[in-house]
């Protein structure tokens, strides 16, 4: 079959003294996201979607969170490495779509830059990467402002 779809999901808790990086954008926020790397929950979900479509597991398998080499890693750079793996395996990224759930901060002003950053990392035109932001209407851990969640899907075509 010449097409594959991958789905990714990630979540990171808020933490004091950390940056809030989403789609490679430093989003102004009182607290950042906790993680071994830069904790870019959006890029992580997209990497998992790509790896899922490849049937290569998840980012924890490729970039283990107990490996000091990835401490503080730039997730946009890692996304570029995953996109390179997609090409090495004989596939082409056709399209990606992502959703970020955050009660705060407001993400609309940064959405286009997120799309541009992730598209550039994967070597894609910006119109091949969708990013949407939503709240959870104050429900759950996202609604209580305890963290941010992201989902992504990716469509690959056999080269």
């Amino acid at each position: 079959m010449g097409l594959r779809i991958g789905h990714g999901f990630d979540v990171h808790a808020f933490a004091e003294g950390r940056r809030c990086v989403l789609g490679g954008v430093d989003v102004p926020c009182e607290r950042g996201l906790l993680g071994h790397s830069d904790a870019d929950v959006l890029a992580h979900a997209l990497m998992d979607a790509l790896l899922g479509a490849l049937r290569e597991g998840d980012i924890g398998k490729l970039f283990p969170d107990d490996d000091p080499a990835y401490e503080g890693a730039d997730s946009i750079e890692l996304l570029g490495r995953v996109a390179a793996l997609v090409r090495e395996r004989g596939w082409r990224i056709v399209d990606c779509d992502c959703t970020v759930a955050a009660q705060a901060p407001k993400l609309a002003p940064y959405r286009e830059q997120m799309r541009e950053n992730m598209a550039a990392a994967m070597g894609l035109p910006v119109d091949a990467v969708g990013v949407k932001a939503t709240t959870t209407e104050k429900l759950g851990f996202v609604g209580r402002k305890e963290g941010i969640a992201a989902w992504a899907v990716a469509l690959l075509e056999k080269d």
Side-chain angles (χ1 to χ4, degrees):
M1 180 143 168
L3 296 174
R4 283 195 184 165
I5 296 172
H7 176 263
F9 170 75
D10 199 29
V11 60
H12 284 276
F14 281 119
E16 299 294 330
R18 297 271 305 188
R19 299 171 15 209
C20 184
V21 181
L22 295 168
V25 177
D26 256 313
V27 178
C29 190
E30 293 175 12
R31 298 173 294 161
L33 295 172
L34 183 62
H36 184 65
S37 66
D38 62 6
D40 186 336
V41 67
L42 177 55
H44 292 183
L46 183 50
M47 285 187 275
D48 270 348
L50 293 167
L51 291 168
L54 282 181
R55 312 302 186 246
E56 295 273 344
D58 56 33
I59 60 173
K61 178 180 173 188
L62 197 59
F63 310 116
D65 65 3
D66 58 357
D67 186 336
Y70 302 113
E71 187 171 351
D74 179 335
S75 294
I76 291 296
E77 187 177 300
L78 299 179
L79 177 60
R81 290 173 57 182
V82 171
L85 180 65
V86 169
R87 291 186 294 274
E88 287 171 25
R89 296 289 192 265
W91 294 86
R92 182 179 69 83
I93 303 168
V94 176
D95 195 66
C96 305
D97 191 35
C98 310
T99 302
V100 181
Q103 200 65 42
K106 294 290 182 195
L107 301 178
Y110 310 101
R111 190 178 74 85
E112 290 307 312
Q113 187 62 56
M114 292 174 194
R115 292 179 65 215
E116 291 171 15
N117 292 347
M118 293 191 300
M122 294 183 289
L124 298 175
V126 175
D127 68 355
V129 180
V131 174
K132 301 170 301 303
T134 189
T135 69
T136 59
E137 303 295 330
K138 299 183 180 177
L139 297 173
F141 76 91
V142 170
R144 291 188 300 271
K145 300 180 184 176
E146 295 171 3
I148 295 178
W151 296 260
V153 292
L155 177 63
L156 304 185
E157 181 177 47
K158 192 70 175 164
D159 231 359

